[in-house]
């Protein structure tokens, strides 16, 4: 009976995953919310196995990594606005650079300060929490992202594609890069916990974690994307993927680019996104891009379905049992105050609809599990607690040897 129940739950979940995106497209309630609710109901069932993410931390980490890199590949393919060596193309990505270089560090700093002051977290734990939560989400943001690649007939002269909706472009392009660019701050939290004062490790962190590994990730993404683009569009016709219409190359792309990026010690998330951008730059108007995007979008939906069901089930199995009022206030402040304010400041305090919409529309990231997994060996520092506050014993020992879910749980205890 228990095995039959598992098959029934999985079958119903797959049906919901196929039907909900279309059914909720015109409603305020989104498919992720419904799927999380279904997962919460599943968590109440007498299943023959544990759904506690702490019991499956390694599997959960790799599952969320796969979900994110697939989503980043879809984002890279969907962007019509080119990014080349020409200065003009970089200027047209100006909103993206401001969100990445100004809004995200400000968000991390403000969230870390708020977590230290309000939730009573140790400084290293507060920085780790902020680094995991600050990136916007390429997985759950489908409803407010660009719709997909614009393609054209082979005879049509369409060398330069562009985006019509600046808000969607800014949110999509930012989500493509900020998951990878948040990792240096995760490592800053680890160094703060293990080495103490910033002057002991700050220079190495800037030169290696922040600059070198980012450059290596970009280089890996460009190299893998260039090679796969050759296979897709320039190989002999008998093996040319675009001619055969075989989309398997786009399933391999996120795994190969992420693997190469990590092997050369770069940021794998950056490599996955840049790989997709590089592939899109090759024969930009080819219909094969649209075909690849449809395939990767389906794969992303399936992986997101699994992640959200597990999240919902974990919620009813006590995932938030350690949540305190201070921890809840940090989450509310991040979504409704910190992110909108920092994005507004980064975009030049513009009163335009684009600026205000971009500042308030970005969803929080599903990349938190792989981000915080990198901090498995971190130990909390002994920096002072805020004036007039007593440090909680659990907040002072956030760095248990664990992966994301257990770290998140210890963050929430304050």
């Amino acid at each position: 009976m228990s095995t039959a129940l598992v098959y029934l739950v999985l079958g119903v979940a797959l049906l919901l995953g196929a039907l909900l995106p279309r059914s909720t497209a015109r409603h305020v309630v989104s498919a992720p919310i419904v799927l999380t609710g279904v997962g919460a109901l599943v968590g109440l069932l007498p299943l023959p196995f544990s759904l506690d993410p702490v019991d499956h931390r390694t599997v959960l980490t790799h599952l969320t990594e796969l979900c994110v890199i697939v989503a980043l590949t879809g984002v890279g393919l969907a962007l019509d606005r080119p990014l080349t060596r020409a200065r003009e193309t970089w200027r047209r990505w100006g909103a993206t650079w401001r969100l990445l270089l100004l809004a995200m560090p400000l968000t991390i700093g403000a969230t870390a300060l708020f977590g230290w002051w309000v939730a009573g977290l140790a400084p290293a734990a507060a920085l780790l929490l902020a680094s995991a939560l600050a990136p916007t989400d390429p997985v759950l943001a489908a409803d407010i992202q660009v719709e997909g690649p614009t393609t054209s007939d082979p005879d049509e002269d369409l060398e330069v594609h562009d985006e019509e909706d600046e808000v969607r472009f800014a949110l999509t392009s930012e989500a493509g890069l900020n998951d990878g660019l948040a990792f240096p701050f995760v490592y800053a939290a680890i160094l703060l916990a293990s080495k103490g004062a910033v002057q002991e490790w700050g220079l190495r962190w800037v030169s290696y974690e922040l600059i070198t590994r980012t450059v290596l990730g970009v280089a890996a993404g460009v190299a893998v994307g260039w090679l796969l683009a050759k296979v897709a569009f320039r190989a002999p016709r008998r093996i040319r993927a675009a001619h055969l219409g075989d989309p398997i190359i786009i399933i391999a792309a996120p795994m190969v680019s992420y693997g190469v990026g990590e092997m050369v010690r770069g940021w794998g998330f950056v490599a996955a996104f840049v790989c997709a951008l590089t592939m899109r730059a090759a024969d930009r108007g080819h219909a094969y891009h649209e075909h690849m995007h449809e395939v990767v979008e389906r794969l992303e939906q399936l992986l997101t379905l699994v992640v959200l069901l597990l999240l919902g089930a974990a919620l009813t199995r006590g995932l938030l049992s350690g949540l305190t009022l201070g921890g809840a206030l940090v989450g509310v402040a991040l979504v409704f105050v910190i992110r909108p304010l920092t994005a507004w400041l980064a975009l030049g305090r513009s009163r335009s609809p684009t600026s205000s919409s971009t500042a308030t529309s970005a969803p929080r990231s599903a990349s938190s599990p792989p981000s915080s997994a990198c901090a498995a060996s971190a130990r909390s520092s002994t920096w002072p607690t805020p004036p007039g506050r007593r440090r909680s014993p659990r907040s002072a020992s956030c760095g248990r040897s664990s992966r994301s879910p257990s770290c998140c749980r210890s963050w929430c205890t304050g």
Side-chain angles (χ1 to χ4, degrees):
M1 180 64 182
S2 59
T3 304
L5 180 61
V6 171
Y7 278 106
L8 175 61
V9 169
L10 290 177
V12 172
L14 287 172
L15 286 175
L16 288 174
L19 299 176
L20 279 177
R22 296 177 178 86
S23 303
T24 60
R26 299 182 178 180
H27 298 81
V28 176
V29 178
S30 65
I33 294 176
V34 177
L35 288 172
T36 304
V38 171
L41 295 177
V42 171
L44 298 175
L45 298 176
L47 297 176
F49 49 82
S50 170
L51 290 176
D52 190 339
V54 178
D55 296 334
H56 310 284
R57 57 188 65 158
T58 302
V59 174
L60 178 63
T61 298
H62 294 309
L63 176 63
T64 52
E65 282 176 345
L66 181 60
C67 186
V68 172
I69 62 175
V70 168
L72 293 175
T73 301
V75 166
L77 287 177
L79 291 171
D80 287 333
R81 183 170 297 174
L83 183 62
T84 67
R85 285 175 289 183
R87 181 179 300 179
E88 176 63 20
T89 63
W90 287 75
R91 188 187 65 80
R92 288 158 62 195
W93 281 59
T96 305
W97 309 135
R98 290 193 293 272
L99 289 171
L100 290 171
L101 301 178
L102 295 176
M104 190 175 74
L106 288 173
T107 301
I108 291 174
T111 305
L113 180 62
F114 207 76
W116 173 63
W117 186 269
V118 176
L121 296 175
L127 180 57
L128 179 60
L129 172 65
S131 303
L133 295 182
T136 51
D137 199 326
V139 178
L140 303 180
D143 292 339
I144 55 175
Q145 287 182 350
V146 298
E147 295 183 356
T150 301
T151 58
S152 59
D153 295 330
D155 297 332
E156 185 180 352
D157 183 15
L158 218 169
E159 296 182 357
V160 178
H161 294 247
D162 203 350
E163 301 291 348
E164 296 180 355
D165 192 321
E166 289 294 330
V167 174
R168 288 180 180 270
F169 170 76
L171 292 174
T172 306
S173 55
E174 181 205 9
L177 282 168
N178 63 10
D179 284 302
L181 296 180
F183 270 96
F185 296 94
V186 173
Y187 276 80
I190 297 174
L191 292 170
L192 180 61
S194 59
K195 297 185 180 297
V198 176
Q199 57 264 30
E200 298 292 330
W201 50 267
L203 183 60
R204 179 191 179 277
W205 176 80
V206 172
S207 61
Y208 181 66
E209 306 292 352
L210 186 61
I211 298 177
T212 302
R213 297 191 69 178
T214 301
V215 172
L216 289 173
V218 171
V222 170
V224 174
W226 179 85
L227 180 61
L228 293 179
K230 289 293 184 182
V231 175
F233 301 105
R234 300 290 184 266
R237 290 178 66 87
R238 65 180 183 278
I239 60 172
R240 188 183 304 169
H243 174 70
L244 299 174
D246 188 355
I248 192 67
I249 191 172
I250 201 58
I251 299 178
M255 303 178 194
V256 174
S257 57
Y258 180 82
V260 171
E262 291 291 318
M263 287 179 65
V264 300
R265 304 301 298 165
W267 300 121
F269 284 176
V270 174
F273 177 69
V274 173
C275 172
L277 280 182
T278 305
M279 293 181 67
R280 180 66 202 282
D283 206 346
R284 182 172 294 276
H286 200 291
Y288 186 59
H289 291 297
E290 186 175 359
H291 190 32
M292 289 193 294
H293 185 264
E294 290 175 355
V295 172
V296 79
E297 189 175 38
R298 280 294 185 183
L299 180 59
E300 177 191 339
Q301 289 175 354
L302 178 61
L303 292 170
T304 304
L305 163 70
V306 176
V307 170
L308 291 177
L309 287 175
L310 291 175
L311 173 62
L315 290 176
T316 51
R317 294 294 180 101
L319 180 65
L320 300 181
S321 59
L323 181 65
T324 64
L325 177 60
L329 287 176
V330 171
V332 172
L334 172 63
V335 174
F336 294 104
V337 179
I338 296 174
R339 162 66 191 196
L341 181 59
T342 56
W344 179 71
L345 291 172
L347 294 174
R349 296 171 292 178
S350 171
R351 295 185 180 181
S352 68
T354 298
S355 175
S356 58
S357 298
T358 304
T360 57
S361 298
R364 305 293 8 115
S365 180
S367 65
S368 299
S371 298
S372 53
C374 289
S377 61
R379 291 294 182 268
S380 178
S381 72
T382 57
W383 284 28
T385 54
R389 290 193 58 86
R390 180 176 57 87
R391 180 180 297 174
S392 165
R394 291 196 64 181
S395 70
S397 58
C398 175
R400 292 182 298 169
S401 179
S402 63
R403 300 186 75 91
S404 163
S406 54
C407 265
C408 290
R409 181 173 294 178
S410 60
W411 290 336
C412 293
T413 61

